[in-house]
């Protein structure tokens, strides 16, 4: 072994001791106490104790001590067959409670190779070894404060790669070890109330494992665990947290000044203000960054398609039906944006498949159609022909549904036709965002204009009366400008904010309010989503071409609203003021024209005119 | 290899009512959940299974969740090493005091210094090392070589982790044995490993019931016949 020892300082024996002598000595000590404690010779016991004190997890070490530790660890790994779970319990305990974070690189190597050997020797140590490695996924408590410093970042990387290497070696010698590792990771997963640094480093290390060959074995499980954690954090952020702060801001009109002053402090201030120090949101933010980085590295290594397949399954199982989730679903959004041609398209098809399949339960189907609507509207990377293709599927389904209803006779209770209304709403929502851009392509335009919108919208089921008024209104406005269909359809909501029907529908069924990909509010991870996200302020509408006066008017009306929640849009993008205010209002709202109404109603007592997506979240279904 | 064994089993698999639409799949999944873990009832690790549903009728359990029992006839492939069996494995890691091998690509086996024949001498190399026989320099065990060893102890709890021994005769590097060990050479040349002495055993077992992860799995008065080669 090539270790350079400080021989003169060796405590184990006198000067000029060679590696092999030290090894033999340790072996001898181990052997000599391998018997009933009463029979152990006192001198041997003493030597064993001194061995214990060298391998002490809590001790602070000088360089000499550290060198001594390296030799001892190497000697131990040469003598693993002598280590006995009965008689060397104290020694093993010391080894397994060591934290590798404080050790030098050499020492870490020695310790980890000892661990891998122990794991391979006899299975009785396997669990402890794996547990010890997993424990070291997170730095010890006293270190977490410094872990963000650059000095530690490099070290952290190194430690992670060493841990991964050790785990890989263990799985080489004990092929079934990953099964056990799975359980151990499962049990050691950070809990909701662990601090952010711990969570982030654990997940980072865990996802690092997925890159490895280990990923083939337990990658799917690791991802599922992380997604579960994300969702759990997500549902623990309540909209009250966010809204309260936004309202306060609005009331005090403070952020304009704040913006000026804090411009260079990036989003941190904003996040704090936004969430009022909501711990869950911050943790989620950190984890989203880690996850997005992971996806990015997958993309770089060409493993994104496989990863995406796994993610899809996980999404289906644990995110799709969670209506309170606000941000966790953006991992799908980001994954899609990394590979629009394959993943992006696949996701759209996957969602519409779920929607169309009769075997799926209605909650999943409605969720899926809401996802389709929100996704196609917001994902800038999705091409217009994909949008038209999916729209066609949705419209075809609606037509079939209408036909079927004609045949069997209509019951007009909205609650019986939830899925139909949800899909109508999704279609309209997509068109609000996309109609103008589709019009640019003559062939797509022709396809779109061939779809029987008039038939569906004027059908006795009266989707226009039931869907969200703001969407209906915006849709009709755009459709009229574009002359999308001939039938004389007019909004029912000109004088009322919500029809009774719509209310019952909305009240009974939260899904009509579910817009999964609304603007992303987490500060740190926002940079991953923003470039691919379509904000309403940037959408070109059909009526814009023909009737710019109206638009100006609108902006004027919006103007007083601008302060509501315009917190974090100021830094990265230099929006002109009009965009800014429209964008800011958009952050809260899914509905394009909401503030138009909102403005009118703001002075009256309509608390009901809250942005649509907020309500369902605040009062989750029981 | 000795440790591989086929077994036939009559099982009753309890299926959750939610899986009633596709019973065959539910049964296969239930059996698959046992793969690669040691199962007391089978006295080994399940490697493969092939099940046929015997009857269209299942017995419904009383209780909150009406699981129904499906009678299944299954052919199982089991790995169940026993002391003194001969195993073959590939050396994955070795050091001065131990050799670690992988059997069938999945199961781990370790041979400790005490169980390595004295004739082997460890030679340290830059990367790992190798054991070389004192009697014949050709007889070498290093990383990647296939070895034949006898089973000394089996740890059933940990998926049949085997502690092996290189002391008994006809053990060592398979490459060397195939040339220098007459008995082994004869065995592999004859193309079969004493397949004649088939022993059939029938075994009746008491009722067992096991609950695993919320589902029930039960085998009733299982009749098992297996061949020992």
């Amino acid at each position: 072994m090539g270790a350079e020892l400080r021989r003169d300082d060796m405590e184990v024996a006198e000067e000029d001791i060679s590696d092999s002598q030290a090894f033999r000595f340790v072996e001898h000590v181990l052997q000599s106490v391998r018997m009933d404690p009463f029979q152990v010779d006192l001198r041997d016991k003493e030597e064993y104790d001194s061995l214990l004190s060298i391998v002490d997890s809590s001790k602070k070490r000088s360089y000499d001590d550290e060198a001594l530790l390296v030799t001892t660890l190497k000697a131990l790994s040469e003598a693993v067959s002598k280590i006995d779970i009965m008689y060397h319990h104290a020694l093993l305990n010391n080894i397994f409670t060591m934290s590798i974070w404080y050790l030098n690189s050499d020492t870490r190597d020695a310790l980890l190779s000892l661990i891998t050997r122990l794991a391979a020797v006899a299975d009785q140590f396997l669990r402890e070894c794996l547990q010890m490695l997993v424990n070291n996924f997170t730095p010890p408590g006293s270190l977490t404060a410094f872990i963000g410093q650059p000095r530690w970042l490099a070290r952290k990387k190194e430690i992670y790669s060493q841990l991964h290497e050790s785990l890989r070696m263990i799985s080489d010698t004990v092929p079934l070890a990953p099964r056990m590792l799975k359980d151990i990771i499962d049990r050691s997963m950070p809990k909701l109330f662990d601090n952010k640094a711990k969570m982030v480093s654990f997940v980072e290390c865990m996802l690092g494992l997925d890159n490895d060959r280990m990923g083939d074995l337990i990658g799917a499980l690791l991802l599922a665990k992380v997604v579960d954690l994300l969702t759990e954090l997500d549902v623990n952020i309540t909209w009250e947290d966010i809204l309260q702060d936004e309202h306060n801001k609005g009331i005090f009109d403070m952020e304009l000044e704040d913006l000026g002053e804090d411009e260079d402090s990036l989003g941190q201030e904003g996040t704090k203000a936004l969430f009022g120090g909501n711990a869950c949101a911050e943790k989620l933010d950190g984890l989203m960054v880690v996850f997005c980085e992971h996806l990015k590295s997958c993309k770089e290594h060409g493993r994104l398609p496989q990863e995406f397949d796994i993610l899809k399954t996980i999404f289906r199982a644990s995110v799709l039906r969670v209506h309170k989730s606000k941000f966790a679903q953006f991992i799908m959004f980001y994954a899609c944006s990394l590979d629009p041609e394959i993943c992006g398209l696949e996701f759209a098809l996957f969602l519409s498949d779920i929607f169309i399949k009769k075997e799926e339960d209605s909650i999943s189907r409605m969720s899926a159609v809401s996802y389709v609507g929100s996704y196609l509207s917001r994902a800038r990377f999705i091409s217009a022909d994909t949008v038209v293709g999916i729209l066609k599927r949705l419209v075809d389904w609606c037509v079939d549904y209408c036909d079927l209803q004609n045949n069997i006779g209509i019951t007009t209770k909205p609650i019986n036709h939830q899925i139909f209304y949800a899909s109508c709403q999704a279609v309209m929502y997509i068109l609000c965002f996309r109609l103008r851009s589709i019009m640019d392509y003559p062939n797509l335009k022709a396809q779109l204009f061939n779809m029987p919108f008039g038939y569906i919208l004027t059908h006795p089921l009266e989707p226009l009366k039931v869907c969200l008024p703001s969407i209906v209104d915006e849709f009709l406005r755009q459709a009229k400008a574009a002359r999308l269909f001939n039938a004389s359809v007019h909004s029912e909501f000109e004088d009322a904010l919500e029809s009774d029907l719509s209310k019952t529908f909305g009240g009974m069924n939260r899904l009509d309010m579910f817009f999964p990909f609304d603007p992303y509010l987490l500060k740190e991870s926002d940079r991953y989503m923003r470039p691919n996200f379509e904000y309403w302020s940037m959408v070109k509408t059909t009526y814009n071409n023909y009737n710019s006066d109206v638009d100006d008017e609108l902006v004027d009306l919006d103007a007083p609203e601008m302060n509501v929640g315009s917190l974090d849009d100021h830094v990265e993008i230099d929006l002109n003021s009009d965009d800014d205010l429209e964008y800011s209002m958009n952050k809260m709202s899914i509905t394009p024209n909401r503030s138009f109404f909102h403005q009118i109603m703001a002075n009256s007592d309509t608390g009901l005119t809250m942005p649509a997506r907020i309500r369902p979240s605040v009062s989750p279904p029981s | 290899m000795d440790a591989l064994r086929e077994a036939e089993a009559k099982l009753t698999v309890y299926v959750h009512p939610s899986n009633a639409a596709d019973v065959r799949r539910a049964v296969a999944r239930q059996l698959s959940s046992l793969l690669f873990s040691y199962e007391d009832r089978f006295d080994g690790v399940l490697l493969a299974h092939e099940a046929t549903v015997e009857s269209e009728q299942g017995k419904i359990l009383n209780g909150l969740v009406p699981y129904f029992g499906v009678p299944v006839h299954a052919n199982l492939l089991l790995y169940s090493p026993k002391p003194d069996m001969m195993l073959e494995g590939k050396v994955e890691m070795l050091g001065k005091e131990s050799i670690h091998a992988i059997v069938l690509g999945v199961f781990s086996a370790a041979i400790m210094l005490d169980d390595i024949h004295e004739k082997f001498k460890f030679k340290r190399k830059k990367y790992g090392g190798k054991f070389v026989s004192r009697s014949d320099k050709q007889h070498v065990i290093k990383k990647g070589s296939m070895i034949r060893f006898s089973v000394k102890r089996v740890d059933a709890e940990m998926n049949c982790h085997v502690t092996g021994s290189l002391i008994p005769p006809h053990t060592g590097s398979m490459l060397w044995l195939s040339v220098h060990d007459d008995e082994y050479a004869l065995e592999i040349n004859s193309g079969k490993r004493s397949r004649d002495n088939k022993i059939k055993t029938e075994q009746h077992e008491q009722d067992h019931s096991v609950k695993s992860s919320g589902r029930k799995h039960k085998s009733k008065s299982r009749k098992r016949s297996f061949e020992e080669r």
Side-chain angles (χ1 to χ4, degrees):
Chain A
M1 296 252 161
E4 285 179 34
L5 295 175
R6 297 166 163 262
R7 288 173 185 163
D8 42 353
D9 293 323
M10 290 284 288
E11 189 191 312
V12 189
E14 282 81 51
E15 293 182 15
D16 281 350
I17 184 166
S18 69
D19 268 8
S20 53
Q21 273 171 298
F23 290 176
R24 235 170 291 146
F25 174 74
V26 169
E27 209 177 305
H28 166 75
V29 173
L30 288 176
Q31 187 63 43
S32 63
V33 293
R34 242 178 118 172
M35 54 184 84
D36 202 304
F38 299 112
Q39 296 171 355
V40 176
D41 191 50
L42 265 183
R43 241 192 29 230
D44 290 338
K45 180 93 179 80
E46 235 166 64
E47 279 170 343
Y48 180 65
D49 286 343
S50 79
L51 191 68
L52 278 183
S53 75
I54 295 171
V55 190
D56 187 346
S57 49
S58 57
K59 205 165 75 172
K60 277 235 181 297
R61 289 182 194 83
S62 64
Y63 282 115
D64 294 345
D65 290 341
E66 190 106 6
L68 187 61
L69 179 64
V70 175
T71 320
T72 315
L73 289 174
K74 283 183 175 162
L76 283 172
S77 57
E78 287 289 298
V80 275
S81 56
K82 298 277 185 298
I83 299 179
D84 191 299
I85 203 161
M86 285 274 286
Y87 304 113
H88 303 125
H89 187 76
L91 180 68
L92 285 168
N93 189 43
N94 277 0
I95 293 171
F96 289 135
T97 51
M98 272 187 149
S99 167
I100 63 170
W101 287 77
Y102 289 117
L103 302 176
N104 286 335
S105 169
D106 282 349
T107 328
R108 278 202 303 268
D109 271 340
L111 178 60
L112 290 177
S113 90
L114 171 62
I115 295 286
T116 38
R117 296 223 160 214
L118 275 178
V121 163
D123 274 354
Q124 47 197 357
F125 302 133
L126 182 59
R127 183 171 289 278
E128 282 85 355
C129 289
L130 292 175
Q131 184 70 58
M132 184 265 184
L133 293 175
V134 171
N135 287 344
N136 276 298
F137 278 13
T138 50
S142 48
L143 253 183
T144 44
F146 311 103
I147 205 70
Q149 292 171 2
R151 177 168 81 89
W152 275 98
L153 279 181
R155 190 155 177 185
K156 188 168 79 172
K157 273 227 171 79
E158 199 184 318
I159 288 178
Y160 284 169
S161 77
Q162 279 177 320
L163 285 173
H164 294 156
E165 177 66 19
S166 310
L167 285 172
R168 221 195 63 228
M169 276 177 62
I170 291 180
S171 83
D172 276 352
T173 44
V174 188
L176 290 176
R179 281 172 75 103
M180 195 178 277
L181 181 64
K182 205 169 70 175
D183 293 348
I184 290 173
I185 287 186
D186 196 8
R187 244 177 298 120
S188 317
M189 275 299 281
K191 305 287 177 300
L192 202 54
F193 297 106
D194 284 335
N195 62 42
K196 182 184 170 187
K198 187 178 171 202
M199 251 184 202
V200 169
S201 49
F202 192 93
V203 170
E204 196 178 341
C205 193
M206 193 169 145
L207 288 177
L209 263 185
D210 186 31
N211 290 332
D212 228 306
R213 188 145 44 85
M214 204 76 133
D216 300 340
L217 299 167
I218 54 172
L221 181 108
L222 296 181
L223 279 183
K225 285 279 142 215
V226 176
V227 173
D228 281 350
L229 183 65
L230 291 177
T231 330
E232 196 184 346
L233 282 170
D234 197 344
V235 297
N236 275 292
I237 307 169
T238 59
W239 277 103
E240 281 110 326
D241 292 339
I242 298 171
L243 288 176
Q244 233 159 31
D245 284 320
E246 286 197 359
H247 280 312
N248 289 344
K249 278 280 177 181
I251 289 161
F252 295 116
D253 280 341
M254 276 172 60
E255 73 276 30
L256 279 187
E257 291 150 60
D258 286 350
L259 296 191
E261 286 162 20
D262 298 342
E263 212 147 66
D264 47 354
S265 69
L266 276 168
Q268 300 222 329
E269 293 295 314
T271 313
K272 245 179 217 157
L274 196 57
F275 295 112
N278 185 313
C280 285
E282 269 173 36
K283 288 173 197 168
L284 182 63
D285 200 9
L287 292 185
M288 288 297 279
V289 172
V290 172
F291 206 99
C292 290
E293 282 298 324
H294 172 70
L295 288 175
K296 208 160 134 198
S297 84
C298 284
K299 163 80 180 162
E300 278 156 16
H301 294 92
R303 287 186 303 104
L304 190 65
Q306 296 95 298
E307 202 79 350
F308 187 75
D309 279 345
I310 301 173
L311 268 182
K312 248 177 13 187
T313 323
I314 298 169
F315 171 82
R316 172 79 184 80
S318 54
V319 183
L320 181 64
R321 294 159 53 105
V322 183
H323 296 115
K324 265 183 94 179
S325 126
K326 299 164 283 291
F327 310 117
Q329 59 265 39
F330 273 86
I331 49 174
M332 296 306 288
F333 189 88
Y334 184 67
C336 290
S337 74
L338 285 174
D339 189 357
E341 271 95 52
I342 299 174
C343 300
L345 181 65
E346 212 173 290
F347 189 52
L349 290 174
F350 166 72
L351 288 171
S352 48
D353 281 348
I354 294 179
F355 163 63
I356 285 171
K357 245 189 222 154
K358 282 201 181 59
E359 298 84 56
E360 301 282 349
D361 57 313
S362 65
I363 295 182
S364 295
R365 292 177 69 184
M366 290 189 3
S367 248
V369 81
S370 302
Y371 263 99
V372 170
S374 200
Y375 174 67
L376 293 183
S377 311
R378 299 294 192 171
R380 200 179 280 176
F381 47 85
I382 293 293
S383 63
D385 47 341
T386 309
V387 175
V388 173
I390 301 285
L391 270 180
K392 177 131 181 48
R393 284 185 88 175
L394 298 186
V395 170
D396 285 350
W397 183 88
C398 288
V399 171
D400 288 349
Y401 192 86
C402 289
D403 289 345
L404 185 71
Q405 293 304 316
N406 286 341
N407 292 341
I408 59 171
I410 295 161
T411 49
T412 42
K413 255 194 188 161
I415 195 71
N416 297 334
H417 306 290
Q418 284 173 327
I419 297 179
F420 173 70
Y421 292 125
S423 63
C424 286
Q425 178 160 309
V427 168
M428 287 191 275
Y429 190 64
I430 296 171
L431 284 175
C432 287
F433 275 80
R434 294 287 190 154
L435 187 54
R436 177 68 181 73
S437 56
I438 292 173
M439 303 273 279
D440 290 344
Y441 305 92
N443 57 333
L444 296 181
K445 189 179 163 185
Q447 274 188 46
L448 188 71
F449 277 60
N450 279 335
M451 293 180 197
F453 290 108
Y455 173 61
I456 298 171
L457 299 180
T458 54
H459 191 268
L461 282 173
E462 295 183 306
L464 290 183
K465 279 192 183 166
V466 183
C467 293
L468 210 63
S470 40
I471 293 180
V472 171
D473 216 64
E474 174 68 23
F475 169 72
L476 288 180
R477 202 166 153 218
Q478 290 210 32
K480 209 181 277 173
R483 300 190 177 74
L484 183 61
F485 48 86
N486 297 324
S488 62
V489 181
H490 56 91
S491 172
E492 306 283 336
F493 310 113
E494 254 139 37
D495 45 357
L497 203 78
E498 268 180 284
S499 70
D500 286 346
L501 277 177
S502 170
K503 248 183 223 161
T504 31
F505 179 46
M508 305 296 280
N509 167 26
R510 61 208 177 269
L511 277 179
D512 100 302
M513 312 280 199
F514 184 51
F515 295 90
F517 294 117
D518 264 9
Y520 190 76
L521 297 177
L522 298 176
K523 199 60 227 166
E524 236 179 293
S525 40
D526 185 47
R527 61 173 189 270
Y528 296 97
M529 315 304 168
R530 184 177 283 268
N532 298 303
F533 192 83
E534 187 79 19
Y535 292 94
W536 175 245
S537 57
M538 299 167 191
V539 172
K540 282 194 200 148
T541 53
T542 47
Y543 49 78
N544 238 357
N545 290 351
Y546 317 108
N547 196 350
S548 59
D549 290 348
V550 176
D551 204 43
D552 287 346
E553 205 179 298
L554 256 183
V555 172
D556 283 345
L557 276 169
D558 286 344
E561 272 277 329
M562 69 176 283
N563 294 340
V564 177
S566 83
L567 299 167
D568 50 358
D569 48 324
H570 42 285
V571 197
E572 296 107 10
I573 297 180
D574 190 23
L575 298 163
N576 65 44
S577 61
D578 281 4
D579 278 352
D580 195 14
L581 55 97
E582 274 202 313
Y583 161 63
S584 60
M585 124 207 155
N586 248 295
K587 285 185 344 86
M588 283 173 68
S589 150
I590 45 98
T591 51
N593 232 349
R594 182 191 58 78
S595 69
F596 182 74
F597 283 113
H598 192 65
Q599 196 52 39
I600 300 167
M601 309 305 285
N603 300 329
S604 59
D605 55 346
T606 42
L608 284 174
T609 56
M610 294 275 276
R613 62 170 295 168
I614 294 158
R615 248 184 316 169
S617 314
V618 174
S619 53
S622 52
Chain B
M1 207 178 330
D2 293 350
L4 280 181
R5 201 183 68 195
E6 271 181 76
E8 280 177 41
K10 283 187 193 296
L11 302 166
T12 307
V13 178
Y14 283 83
V15 175
H16 191 275
S18 66
N19 296 327
D22 193 347
V23 171
R24 203 174 306 278
R25 184 156 163 265
V27 167
R29 207 163 53 183
Q30 187 75 40
L31 287 176
S32 295
S33 72
L34 302 174
L35 282 175
F36 291 111
S37 49
Y38 182 81
E39 205 51 50
D40 256 345
R41 282 163 295 154
F42 302 148
D43 189 23
V45 178
L46 185 62
L47 291 178
H49 60 78
E50 179 189 45
T52 45
V53 176
E54 281 197 319
S55 156
E56 290 293 305
Q57 286 172 338
K59 189 177 156 201
I60 297 175
L61 279 192
N62 287 330
L64 282 176
V65 185
Y67 283 90
F68 57 96
V70 182
V72 165
H73 180 110
N75 286 321
L76 309 173
L77 180 65
L78 301 170
Y79 169 72
S80 61
K82 294 270 169 286
D84 294 330
M85 273 183 182
M86 284 291 180
L87 287 183
E88 291 157 6
K90 184 177 176 188
V91 176
E92 190 58 47
M93 182 168 97
L94 78 178
K96 185 172 144 282
E97 78 305 329
S98 61
I99 298 175
H100 302 281
I102 309 266
V103 181
L104 294 171
V106 178
F107 301 100
S108 49
I111 301 157
M112 291 313 188
L113 185 61
D114 304 341
D115 303 317
I116 298 173
H117 200 284
E118 280 173 356
K119 72 180 178 189
F120 286 109
K121 183 175 165 26
F122 186 69
K123 286 195 175 167
R124 208 179 285 281
K125 279 277 166 59
K126 200 172 180 187
Y127 297 103
K130 59 182 179 181
F131 282 94
V132 180
S133 169
R134 285 194 176 86
S135 54
D136 185 349
K137 287 250 172 356
Q138 304 285 315
H139 195 175
V140 177
I141 295 174
K142 59 184 176 195
K143 187 177 172 184
S145 45
M146 295 294 292
I147 55 167
R148 187 178 145 92
F149 57 92
S150 82
V151 178
K152 192 177 169 194
R153 211 170 42 239
V154 181
D155 188 348
E157 252 177 59
M158 311 295 275
N159 286 325
C160 284
H161 178 88
V162 167
T163 308
S165 168
L166 280 175
I167 292 176
H170 318 301
T171 59
S173 161
M174 283 163 67
L175 190 67
W176 184 85
L177 286 175
S178 65
V179 180
H180 297 89
D181 189 283
D182 292 340
E183 188 177 308
Y184 180 69
L186 194 73
E187 192 179 310
I188 53 172
N189 288 336
S190 63
K192 54 173 187 165
R193 310 221 177 129
S194 54
R195 201 166 280 180
D196 316 326
N197 55 341
K198 285 180 183 172
I199 310 161
K200 281 202 172 171
T201 13
E202 288 208 336
Q203 218 172 317
H204 295 269
E205 290 191 16
Q206 294 296 313
D207 282 12
H208 302 279
S209 75
V210 168
K211 281 187 186 177
S212 62
S213 66
R215 292 187 186 137
K216 287 189 179 173
H217 183 101
K218 206 172 180 184
S219 76
K220 256 186 186 173
S221 69
R222 193 161 44 84
K223 195 171 155 192
R224 189 178 65 186
S225 67
F226 58 84
E227 303 170 346
E228 279 189 359
R229 296 174 183 175

